[in-house]
Amino acid sequence: MEYTSSGNVFAGPDGAPQDQIRRYRVPAGLSPEEKFEHWRHWYGTAIDAPARLEKTEKPVPPGFNPTALSLDGPGFSLVDVTNEPASCYWNAVSDPSDWLVYFRTSCDKFSFSGRSEAVSAGTVRFFDLSLPGNFYAPAGFSAVRLHFDRELLGLDDRSVKRLQGLADIRENPIMRGLILPALSGWQRTGLAQEMQRLQPVARSMMTALVSSLLETLADPGDLKLARIAAIKKFVRKNFRNPALTVDEVVAYSFLSRRALYYLFEVEGLQVSGHIRALRTLEAIELLAEATAWKRSLTDIAGASGFTSLQAMRRAIREFTGLSLRDAQEKPDLLRIRSAELRKLTEL
């Protein structure tokens, strides 16, 4: 096996490395047949279920060049694979282990624990790995596999069987709004760099998803982080609209103002502060643009979501300590404040 690290290693509670991104690529200088054997060996040892690959074309195509990126964490891991023509088989796994798979491309033949069917691009399915399965991967087949520990989610065998019996779940609101964006862009967004911190959030999202799919009640404490993530996403999507207020967030979240306040009690900012901080970040980044002199300050305030120029002045002072004049005349300091604000708003 050959891996190249992307440079992100995380420390566990004792300071020892715990999570690491690993990138697979077939070594240069090998014949197509040797490339396949290398890929077969990696796949059989790197995937959670003991899996084996078989060739589907003879000889192996000269352009055979599969890739994979994996990230392991406590009770949680991601494997992002772009495959080449091959058939994959796995036997039943005795220890509880499950996958949630997002298919970026279509697959004509995928066996879901004995039930063979075609899957279209964008399909999301659960797998119960206590049962055998197989699939045929055409050239360019791409998928992201999320592994989770069923015990961490409180799932028994009956619940897992119900989940793996579900059809495509991509239209579930939690799947579509929270989990699928993470599976679609975790490399691009740098999710891996925050894995240790986000693992409880991911668990909370999965708890919310499972609770929704099984139509069962979940412990409110387990759903807290997923709710916060959903509300923050709503705010990030809408903060440029001057009509966005805490009341709008209350209506979106189906929470009272008091409940919303207590939900964000452990966050660095309350909802109102989060809205103002995002608008301030937008404003100072617009001010830092080379063409900012072509726009009026009132126009920049409106484009950032502020209801007035005075509101923008106050917010810039609140979050950066700078006056609007300083923000305009000190670009280096403005860049520093912008970076600090991006960290505060988790962008």
Side-chain angles (χ1 to χ4, degrees):
M1 292 186 294
E2 283 201 2
Y3 289 103
T4 58
S5 171
S6 60
N8 299 303
V9 180
F10 303 90
D14 59 355
Q18 184 167 328
D19 303 328
Q20 185 175 11
I21 304 172
R22 298 181 296 174
R23 188 182 301 276
Y24 171 85
R25 63 186 179 193
V26 289
L30 299 181
S31 69
E33 293 289 335
E34 290 170 331
K35 285 184 177 180
F36 183 86
E37 291 304 317
H38 196 280
W39 172 242
R40 186 213 301 267
H41 178 67
W42 175 84
Y43 202 92
T45 54
I47 304 300
D48 296 320
R52 72 180 190 276
L53 292 179
E54 299 294 344
K55 290 188 295 184
T56 57
E57 298 184 12
K58 296 183 180 180
V60 177
F64 184 88
N65 188 34
T67 61
L69 193 68
S70 63
L71 175 66
D72 296 317
F76 180 88
S77 65
L78 283 164
V79 175
D80 193 331
V81 175
T82 299
N83 215 330
E84 295 288 349
S87 290
C88 177
Y89 304 86
W90 65 87
N91 296 321
V93 179
S94 57
D95 296 329
S97 181
D98 307 282
W99 293 354
L100 180 70
V101 179
Y102 162 52
F103 296 85
R104 284 205 187 95
T105 56
S106 60
C107 187
D108 293 335
K109 188 176 182 182
F110 210 111
S111 177
F112 296 95
S113 304
R115 299 193 313 277
S116 183
E117 59 186 85
V119 293
S120 62
T123 296
V124 183
R125 291 289 301 261
F126 277 101
F127 289 86
D128 174 7
L129 295 183
S130 65
L131 300 171
N134 64 83
F135 66 90
Y136 164 68
F141 174 69
S142 179
V144 182
R145 187 228 64 201
L146 166 66
H147 166 259
F148 61 93
D149 186 337
R150 69 175 65 174
E151 293 181 352
L152 288 179
L153 299 181
L155 296 176
D156 55 22
D157 291 342
R158 182 178 179 182
S159 296
V160 171
K161 288 181 179 179
R162 286 181 60 193
L163 290 173
Q164 69 90 24
L166 295 173
D168 185 5
I169 61 170
R170 78 181 93 174
E171 291 306 317
N172 177 277
I174 298 171
M175 187 73 230
R176 185 177 67 246
L178 291 176
I179 299 175
L180 195 54
L183 294 182
S184 300
W186 70 276
Q187 297 180 54
R188 182 178 64 255
T189 61
L191 175 65
Q193 297 177 357
E194 301 292 335
M195 189 65 169
Q196 193 71 21
R197 185 175 65 84
L198 292 181
Q199 194 275 340
V201 180
R203 176 188 170 189
S204 181
M205 289 182 182
M206 287 297 295
T207 300
L209 175 65
V210 168
S211 176
S212 172
L213 293 170
L214 298 180
E215 299 180 344
T216 58
L217 293 175
D219 187 321
D222 289 339
L223 301 179
K224 182 176 181 179
L225 295 177
R227 283 182 171 176
I228 291 173
I231 291 170
K232 285 183 176 179
K233 181 179 179 182
F234 174 77
V235 170
R236 284 195 294 270
K237 182 178 179 180
N238 295 284
F239 74 87
R240 294 179 184 87
N241 184 346
L244 180 67
T245 63
V246 174
D247 287 337
E248 293 295 321
V249 178
V250 166
Y252 165 78
S253 64
F254 295 100
L255 296 172
S256 67
R257 290 182 70 96
R258 182 185 294 271
L260 186 64
Y261 174 83
Y262 284 118
L263 182 66
F264 276 76
E265 193 173 25
V266 297
E267 295 295 302
L269 294 169
Q270 278 290 329
V271 172
S272 59
H274 202 70
I275 295 172
R276 291 197 311 279
L278 286 170
R279 288 172 175 167
T280 303
L281 178 61
E282 181 78 357
I284 63 178
E285 291 192 342
L286 290 176
L287 288 168
E289 290 182 352
T291 57
W293 62 273
K294 296 181 179 181
R295 305 179 67 173
S296 70
L297 293 177
T298 300
D299 179 45
I300 289 176
S304 304
F306 291 106
T307 56
S308 68
L309 175 56
Q310 186 60 29
M312 184 177 76
R313 290 180 186 274
R314 289 195 300 266
I316 290 176
R317 174 75 71 177
E318 174 187 356
F319 286 103
T320 70
L322 302 175
S323 67
L324 183 53
R325 180 182 293 274
D326 286 340
Q328 291 176 285
E329 296 179 352
K330 299 178 180 179
D332 292 340
L333 185 57
L334 190 62
R335 281 192 289 271
I336 294 173
R337 295 292 185 267
S338 177
E340 293 171 348
L341 200 49
R342 289 183 68 85
K343 184 176 182 180
L344 179 64
T345 54
E346 300 177 351
L347 289 179

